[in-house]
Amino acid sequence: MCGIVGYVGYRNAQEFLLEGLRRLEYRGYDSAGIGTITPAGHIAVAKTPGRIEVLAKEVTQFPTTSAIGIGHTRWATHGPATQVNAHPHLDDSQSVAIVHNGVIENFRALKDELESRGHTFTSATDSEVVAHLIHDCRLELEQEPSSAREPRSAHDTLLAAVLKALTQLRGTYGLVVLFRDHPDVMVAARLGSPLVIGLGQGEHYVASDPSPLVGYADKIVYLADHQVALLTAKSVRVTHREQGVVQPHIQALDMESGESELDGFPHYMLKEIFEQPEALENTMRGRLSDEDATAVFGGLNLAPHELHRINRIILTACGTSWHSSLVGEYTIEHLARLPVEVEYASELRYRNPPVDHGALLFAITQSGETADTLAALREMKRKGHPTLAICNVVGSTIAQEANGGIYLHAGPEIGVASTKAYTCQCLALTLLALYFGRLHHLSYTAGREVIDAIRALPERVRDALQANDQVRQIAGKYCHFSNFLYLGRQFNFPTALEGALKLKEISYIHAEGYPAAEMKHGPIALVDKDTPSVFIMPHGFVYDKVMANLEEVKARGGPVIAIVAQEDRHVESLADDVIRIPHVEDYLQPLVAIIPLQLLAYHIAVLRGCDVDKPRNLAKSVTVE
């Protein structure tokens, strides 16, 4: 983990590899490297801890005209972020080079076995064993007596060596392999960690997601689990480990280069915060039916009568997506009166809870590759439950493995801290709440009222964004504090959790979110003049209750930032700072109230000098457990 690029063709591979790695920076990483096969016939490796620009400076000191190469950005799992632990990794003879995403769970046993055969390891990673193992598998195949094996070409031998090595690995991998004495071929393999192949004219590419391929390839192939691809400049052959050669599914690369540009914004995160009105419009486009007063989905792959029999919904997710699931729980139960359970995917995969036959699972993920969410989905599928996905990345693993689902169409999200994907997830869940509500008790008139409120939402979010300058000023007052409390109730309890997470993620300030009424059951002990409390309290039936909680904080000398409705005039006498948001229905408040919290986290992080788009220790797509 975390990013992979590869190239074979007629161009200078270094140029594409460095540009591709730059486009993968948003995934989060702590070291980077590239490997090429030089015209002199050896594998040249350059790698370094730190950012791509550090690697680029090192590479320019040793230019090469190689037309084949691999690159990697690493997010440390086994061993710290050092030069020796960065990828690519080579075997002892330096004849095999690999880059790897994922985790090799049995690497210690493999390493012990390889060391007993005389192999010497240089890194603390789990990935290095793969290079040594492929080298040994290749030697074993080449040393077989000709009478004991079928005739095969040199390329077939390389492919067979990789396949033989893969059978000994336990864990997950997105893997690309170079062979020193075959500078015309590379092999890519996938199990649980995404890889996509870009198809060109006289050249081919491989990457861990499509973004590095934009502008280079118009058509792509997503590798599926257990598939291995052998790529040359002129051909791509895909083999399934059990089924043999398969016909790859070629599709258009539906992404434009401008989508990943800053467009004048100082950071991707701020750009994506301001893209939310358009992203919400894209999520709802074509999914609202005035005639039937309901939501319309084309990809659920379950008939209305099947969905009508659903008596329980399980939402499973991680991180920010878990918070959107909590919003979904409140909204579905409010509009559809269906019981909803929200499960951390990392817990659901092992907890083995009793689930009745009328349950439907939604796996919610921005990337569609989150390892824990994927494992939870597979476990529920194994038990025979219908599974659906809500994700933003077309062709992702979870999107492919679920029985159906909903694409967000939020557009690429480059900032590691999710913003527009979060609000689009909340909206998709609101559309589901409307759909299930109309399947059950929700009247036509009530359904039309919900549709009208949803259609007005993008404009309400645009109004909320007008607070940006005010929020920047408020951030200047509070950026030096080290602890924050975020407090909300009902629909805005998840907003408090998400607001606190955003601050933690990008500014490294400790922050906690709570239901406001729970504050007096412990967290109030933290309240003092150095611990600001952010209250999310637009008008609603618990407004007076939250106001009482705010007064409890003020009575103990705690600074208060209040997020309130536009017309609220009661809070001004109590709160130190007030941010106003436009009025929306209570079940839509989380999508509007989160806007100033995203902006607050962003501006505080900037003032503290943090790397907003690439916060330390975080990865955009968490493909390991």
Side-chain angles (χ1 to χ4, degrees), residues 167-184:
T167 62
Q168 301 177 55
L169 302 181
R170 189 174 71 248
T172 59
Y173 51 80
L175 180 69
V176 186
V177 189
L178 293 185
F179 297 90
R180 180 187 61 201
D181 49 353
H182 288 277
D184 61 335

Side-chain angles (χ1 to χ4, degrees), residues 462-616:
R462 287 188 180 93
D463 293 341
L465 287 166
Q466 298 303 310
N468 182 46
D469 290 340
Q470 180 198 6
V471 173
R472 186 190 298 113
Q473 293 177 355
I474 292 173
K477 291 176 57 177
Y478 294 94
C479 63
H480 63 282
F481 287 99
S482 299
N483 296 284
F484 277 70
L485 292 174
Y486 284 70
L487 303 163
R489 294 192 69 171
Q490 296 295 300
F491 290 97
N492 281 309
F493 162 49
T495 309
L497 293 175
E498 177 61 10
L501 179 61
K502 282 292 143 308
L503 192 67
K504 282 183 278 196
E505 285 179 317
I506 63 170
S507 72
Y508 319 138
I509 292 173
H510 176 252
E512 298 292 339
Y514 289 98
E518 285 297 302
M519 178 191 60
K520 56 186 176 288
H521 298 290
I524 198 169
L526 298 172
V527 173
D528 60 19
K529 63 181 178 61
D530 296 319
T531 304
S533 294
V534 181
F535 278 85
I536 304 102
M537 48 187 303
H539 281 310
F541 70 96
V542 292
Y543 175 82
D544 291 336
K545 304 293 185 183
V546 182
M547 180 69 83
N549 300 138
L550 186 154
E551 295 203 45
E552 291 167 355
V553 169
K554 290 303 299 180
R556 289 157 179 81
V560 168
I561 303 169
I563 312 298
V564 302
Q566 196 72 48
E567 64 275 14
D568 191 310
R569 295 294 178 267
H570 301 292
V571 177
E572 290 177 334
S573 61
L574 288 171
D576 297 90
D577 293 280
V578 176
I579 302 171
R580 302 185 185 281
I581 59 174
H583 171 77
V584 292
E585 300 295 330
D586 52 0
Y587 55 85
L588 294 178
Q589 285 176 1
L591 289 91
V592 179
I594 194 60
I595 302 300
L597 303 186
Q598 293 171 344
L599 291 169
L600 182 66
Y602 170 79
H603 288 299
I604 287 178
V606 170
L607 289 168
R608 290 169 68 94
C610 300
D611 191 342
V612 172
D613 289 330
K614 299 183 284 292
R616 69 189 185 201

Side-chain angles (χ1 to χ4, degrees), residues 146-378:
S146 57
S147 59
R149 58 179 169 85
E150 296 180 4
R152 54 178 170 239
S153 68
H155 286 180
D156 287 339
T157 300
L158 302 180
L159 180 62
V162 173
L163 287 168
K164 186 174 182 178
L166 295 181
T167 62
Q168 301 177 55
L169 302 181
R170 189 174 71 248
T172 59
Y173 51 80
L175 180 69
V176 186
V177 189
L178 293 185
F179 297 90
R180 180 187 61 201
D181 49 353
H182 288 277
D184 61 335
V185 63
M186 62 183 177
V187 177
R190 178 228 164 113
L191 176 62
S193 191
L195 281 181
V196 57
I197 295 170
L199 306 179
Q201 296 293 324
E203 57 186 348
H204 291 104
Y205 310 82
V206 63
S208 46
D209 74 43
S211 58
L213 308 181
V214 176
Y216 291 95
D218 296 325
K219 298 186 182 301
I220 56 174
V221 172
Y222 287 98
L223 283 187
D225 279 352
H226 301 295
Q227 287 186 346
V228 182
L230 190 146
L231 297 89
T232 70
K234 297 182 179 180
S235 66
V236 173
R237 175 161 43 117
V238 179
T239 301
H240 189 279
R241 280 172 48 187
E242 298 173 357
Q243 302 168 5
V245 176
V246 296
Q247 186 66 34
H249 174 60
I250 299 172
Q251 53 189 288
L253 176 53
D254 187 20
M255 186 176 177
E256 297 180 2
S257 58
E259 292 180 321
S260 57
E261 300 299 327
L262 280 167
D263 293 338
F265 286 90
H267 299 94
Y268 283 108
M269 182 179 178
L270 186 62
K271 176 192 177 192
E272 287 154 10
I273 290 172
F274 274 85
E275 285 177 341
Q276 286 175 107
E278 292 76 19
L280 292 168
E281 288 170 345
N282 290 335
T283 298
M284 72 175 71
R285 183 169 288 115
R287 289 175 169 159
L288 292 171
S289 169
D290 291 313
E291 183 178 354
D292 296 320
T294 189
V296 178
F297 301 102
L300 296 184
N301 296 334
L302 292 170
H305 71 274
E306 295 175 292
L307 291 166
H308 191 271
R309 290 198 294 264
I310 297 299
N311 57 30
R312 182 175 299 275
I313 292 174
I314 300 173
L315 307 176
T316 190
C318 303
T320 284
S321 296
W322 190 81
H323 295 158
S324 72
S325 299
L326 287 179
V327 173
E329 176 185 25
Y330 280 89
T331 308
I332 293 170
E333 291 186 346
H334 174 69
L335 292 178
R337 310 302 301 160
L338 270 176
V340 179
E341 297 174 25
V342 177
E343 295 273 359
Y344 280 113
S346 56
E347 293 296 306
L348 179 60
R349 66 184 295 188
Y350 295 118
R351 198 164 69 82
N352 194 30
V355 178
D356 59 43
H357 293 296
L360 171 65
L361 178 89
F362 277 92
I364 303 174
T365 162
Q366 186 279 139
S367 68
E369 304 292 349
T370 309
D372 288 318
T373 308
L374 177 59
L377 180 142
R378 287 171 171 169

